[in-house]
Amino acid sequence: VEETRKWAQLSRAVYDRTMQSFGTDGYFYESFHYFGFAFRWAIRYFDVHKQVTGEDLYIPMKSKLAGMKYFAMHSILPDGENVFDFADVGDGSLNRNGTSKRESLYGEYDILHRLAAVYRDPEAQAIGDFILNDTKLGTREPMWAFINRDSGVNPASLSQVPLYHHFEDNDTIFWRSDWTKKATAFAFRSAPPEGHHAAKLASQIPDWRQNTGHAHPDANSFIIWANGRYLTGDTGYLGIKQTDDHNTILVNGRGQEAEGVYEMFKAVPNQRLDKVRIAESWASPQFFYARGEAANGYFPALGLRKFDRHFLYVAPDYFLVWDELETKEPSKFTFMLNADREITLAGTSADLVNGEAALRVVRFSPSEAHSEVVPQNVQARGLPGSVDKGESEQRGVQLRTTNLSPTAKTEFLHLLQVTNLKTGTPRISFGDQTEPFFSVVLANGDRDNVCLNSANCSSVSDARRLIVRQSKDKKINRLMWQNATRINSGTVTVMESSRSVSGSIRLLQNGKLSGYISSETGAQLRLVLPIVPNKLFVNGVAVKFEKNGTLVSMLIAPGQNLVEIE
């Protein structure tokens, strides 16, 4: 039938463009909801097209789809019922509080089972099985789920699935402590709406009409889940996109261009959006750091020259959120954090409370600012065809902090601590500032001396970031650094390396040391330890080393290395 031939030609042409423009890292920018809603049709097409023509479109898409299993796994929150709600998915706090549920959320594990079968991928099989068996997220098509799972692909152990992953095209990083329901999990995002690949490619395809209606103005935003609760983050599927629906920054009450409509990015040049990015990051099970650059995503009239957000996690103790802000003219800046249920405010600190769990927020800078708690009102999505005509509704509350006097340059520095209100978690606080450090005082009296800026660190280290933890008797029991060849403590060089390395080393309660050291090229490393070393294990294997008292010398291989010292 001639019409059939024309349809086949048209669909193949459409998929040629679809495959070309598809993100390169497996992340789906429209949200986890739309990943399942949309991509199940792609694998149906790939299967039918191969059966009819013999052309296997899975082959050219292999590298692009390789990370999709990680997108699916990391998007699901530890409770196995909710997800990281970047972009258009769910109704935010209304879903999580059990107030409203407009639409069921699906895990679509059949997609991952099909990819596992095609690529013989044990990890994809394991993740598909996990969503099927260990979450409350089902599938729209049980028949296809039955057909797609190939029992000949043995699933990997879930412990093989990485606990953190950076989607570099879509510049979103997920981290979690483990794969259990008790895990702490968070995500940080700073990216163009469809990713860097699409931003660069759009000008080369004249017939491409980008549709970014499901993307949000969420550059330099983050979501945190801990103690079995969603502590701070996003607001779900929206009919009108606003920057103040997210954990980010406003300048003179305005946000990222061109908010206030459903498809806000339509007229914003991709050349500018492509400059929104995660500029650097480093992660280990003990420490996480990312720096996002978002200034180019804001209205040009705001004159925003710099909005760099530094997001750190010192596991399992606290987060630091440090914002560097600069405008052409003196401006007022507003720092925002969303909470699902309630916020109690007391001076420079606030508790974002969700049941027995809370996120304690302590402001260090600016010293003079106005903080308030306001309803988080959003315009919800309308019916298909009039999605921007939804009703206004409240989805939780928001903490807002604004500098009192307009300034062209300022910083926000906040400490965030996960607490358990039932057990009364002791407070962590900022201590006195001592150049080049400021200090964080832990509940047990330990003190973290924190240097967030390489220029400030230069007197003691060439590290980009450095945290030195000392006990009450001034002994170092934890060391965290990023990209350094030397670290001094007083007159003693406690770390010296032939090449730049990043690391996190801590003294355990059993008197042993454990941590992670990363190097791009490998390095010769010398460490002064708080113990006399007898055995050294790297990635679980005993290795030879040299020692002189508490000084140990070792070789570090390229990549990330688990280092254990007895």
Side-chain angles (χ1 to χ4, degrees):
V1 177
E2 185 59 28
E3 187 179 7
T4 304
R5 181 179 298 274
K6 292 178 180 179
W7 272 106
Q9 290 173 338
L10 175 61
S11 62
R12 179 61 181 82
V14 167
Y15 265 90
D16 183 71
R17 289 294 196 244
T18 299
M19 293 188 297
Q20 186 180 7
S21 60
F22 198 82
T24 62
D25 58 10
Y27 186 97
F28 197 67
Y29 76 97
E30 290 188 339
S31 75
F32 178 80
H33 167 78
Y34 278 101
F35 143 74
F37 180 77
F39 198 73
R40 59 198 176 104
W41 299 111
I43 62 172
R44 301 289 177 272
Y45 177 77
F46 289 172
D47 290 341
V48 171
H49 183 79
K50 180 180 179 181
Q51 181 176 330
V52 173
T53 70
E55 183 185 20
D56 189 347
L57 298 180
Y58 284 109
I59 295 175
M61 287 294 287
K62 183 176 182 179
S63 64
K64 290 189 172 187
L65 300 180
M68 187 167 279
K69 59 191 176 187
Y70 300 138
F71 172 72
M73 187 67 178
H74 277 283
S75 291
I76 300 171
L77 290 169
D79 67 348
E81 186 174 357
N82 293 287
V83 299
F84 283 98
D85 53 338
F86 289 121
D88 277 348
V89 53
D91 300 311
S93 65
L94 297 181
N95 286 170
R96 294 184 290 269
N97 294 344
T99 308
S100 167
K101 196 165 188 177
R102 290 184 174 86
E103 191 170 12
S104 296
L105 185 63
Y106 295 95
E108 310 296 12
Y109 45 83
D110 50 302
I111 295 174
L112 300 177
H113 281 152
R114 184 65 186 128
L115 296 181
V118 170
Y119 298 127
R120 317 309 293 173
D121 186 341
E123 281 191 339
Q125 188 83 321
I127 293 170
D129 289 353
F130 173 81
I131 299 174
L132 167 63
N133 298 317
D134 297 313
T135 78
K136 297 180 181 179
L137 306 175
T139 178
R140 293 175 176 85
E141 298 177 328
M143 180 192 73
W144 280 111
F146 174 75
I147 293 171
N148 284 352
R149 191 183 188 282
D150 183 346
S151 59
V153 179
N154 292 322
S157 167
L158 212 59
S159 62
Q160 292 181 229
V161 180
L163 291 168
Y164 39 89
H165 189 80
H166 183 180
F167 294 91
E168 295 185 358
D169 181 14
N170 282 272
D171 262 340
T172 306
I173 307 179
F174 295 86
W175 186 102
R176 72 177 64 201
S177 56
D178 54 62
W179 292 119
T180 71
K181 294 186 183 299
K182 296 180 179 180
T184 294
F186 60 83
F188 178 79
R189 173 171 168 79
S190 190
E194 288 190 74
H196 298 287
H197 170 70
K200 291 180 173 68
L201 187 65
S203 62
Q204 303 173 30
I205 306 179
D207 51 306
W208 189 3
R209 301 294 181 265
Q210 287 181 283
N211 187 323
T212 55
H214 293 304
H216 286 210
D218 56 6
N220 274 353
S221 70
F222 57 88
I223 297 170
I224 298 174
W225 170 282
N227 285 350
R229 297 286 185 172
Y230 191 101
L231 297 180
T232 187
D234 269 14
T235 50
Y237 199 148
L238 303 173
I240 297 295
K241 309 300 193 291
Q242 299 282 11
T243 305
D244 64 4
D245 296 326
H246 308 281
N247 287 344
T248 185
I249 294 288
L250 298 180
V251 182
N252 293 327
R254 301 180 70 194
Q256 296 167 25
E257 189 181 7
E259 62 175 1
V261 295
Y262 171 65
E263 190 180 346
M264 56 168 286
F265 297 104
K266 181 178 284 188
V268 185
N270 273 301
Q271 294 87 340
R272 275 198 17 238
L273 292 173
D274 189 38
K275 294 177 181 178
V276 177
R277 62 176 187 147
I278 292 178
E280 54 181 321
S281 66
W282 188 73
S284 79
Q286 296 180 355
F287 180 74
F288 174 88
Y289 170 80
R291 176 172 66 87
E293 297 178 351
N296 282 280
Y298 281 70
F299 284 100
L302 295 172
L304 185 59
R305 289 174 169 168
K306 185 176 186 179
F307 172 23
D308 283 12
R309 168 161 281 180
H310 306 257
F311 185 83
L312 295 88
Y313 180 52
V314 179
D317 300 318
Y318 61 87
F319 297 85
L320 288 175
V321 181
W322 174 40
D323 298 318
E324 296 182 279
L325 297 153
E326 184 177 349
T327 49
K328 293 179 181 178
E329 302 294 334
S331 303
K332 285 197 171 185
F333 304 92
T334 302
F335 172 92
M336 300 171 293
L337 283 180
N338 293 323
D340 273 8
R341 293 184 183 272
E342 60 177 307
I343 299 175
T344 59
L345 181 61
T348 59
S349 67
D351 284 346
L352 282 59
V353 180
N354 191 347
E356 295 176 354
L359 186 69
R360 183 162 294 141
V361 182
V362 183
R363 170 167 48 89
F364 180 77
S365 180
S367 57
E368 295 185 356
H370 172 70
S371 294
E372 62 179 342
V373 179
V374 299
Q376 178 54 286
N377 293 320
V378 304
Q379 185 167 333
R381 68 188 186 276
L383 296 173
S386 56
V387 70
D388 59 343
K389 301 297 192 296
E391 298 294 326
S392 176
E393 61 189 26
Q394 183 177 345
R395 297 182 182 176
V397 291
Q398 184 179 77
L399 172 66
R400 289 188 169 216
T401 300
T402 304
N403 54 305
L404 291 182
S405 301
T407 179
K409 191 174 183 179
T410 193
E411 298 178 354
F412 284 97
L413 177 58
H414 289 84
L415 182 148
L416 282 57
Q417 178 191 4
V418 175
T419 66
N420 187 316
L421 300 180
K422 184 177 181 180
T423 59
T425 307
R427 286 182 177 271
I428 294 174
S429 62
F430 285 109
D432 296 331
Q433 184 167 351
T434 304
E435 294 295 342
F437 296 102
F438 67 87
S439 62
V440 176
V441 182
L442 279 68
N444 66 355
D446 284 1
R447 179 180 294 260
D448 280 3
N449 296 311
V450 182
C451 183
L452 294 176
N453 185 310
S454 57
N456 293 341
C457 295
S458 59
S459 63
V460 295
S461 174
D462 58 354
R464 291 185 185 174
R465 246 76 44 194
L466 174 63
I467 301 177
V468 182
R469 178 168 296 181
Q470 292 181 315
S471 59
K472 290 181 180 180
D473 57 4
K474 304 298 183 182
K475 292 183 179 179
I476 297 175
N477 55 34
R478 191 168 181 184
L479 194 63
M480 293 155 277
W481 74 93
Q482 184 188 1
N483 295 90
T485 62
R486 64 173 178 85
I487 300 172
N488 298 330
S489 178
T491 60
V492 178
T493 300
V494 297
M495 192 283 289
E496 189 174 22
S497 175
S498 62
R499 299 288 180 89
S500 181
V501 295
S502 298
S504 173
I505 297 288
R506 66 187 303 181
L507 181 65
L508 305 178
Q509 290 183 347
N510 59 8
K512 299 178 182 179
L513 282 170
S514 177
Y516 296 82
I517 300 177
S518 298
S519 171
E520 290 186 4
T521 59
Q524 178 73 42
L525 186 72
R526 288 155 46 97
L527 282 169
V528 175
L529 306 174
I531 61 172
V532 176
N534 293 315
K535 295 180 181 179
L536 171 65
F537 301 88
V538 178
N539 298 320
V541 178
V543 298
K544 294 181 179 180
F545 64 97
E546 296 179 4
K547 71 174 182 176
N548 182 3
T550 60
L551 174 66
V552 61
S553 299
M554 68 184 84
L555 285 173
I556 294 297
Q560 186 169 98
N561 301 274
L562 169 62
V563 176
E564 299 166 291
I565 301 173
E566 299 179 2

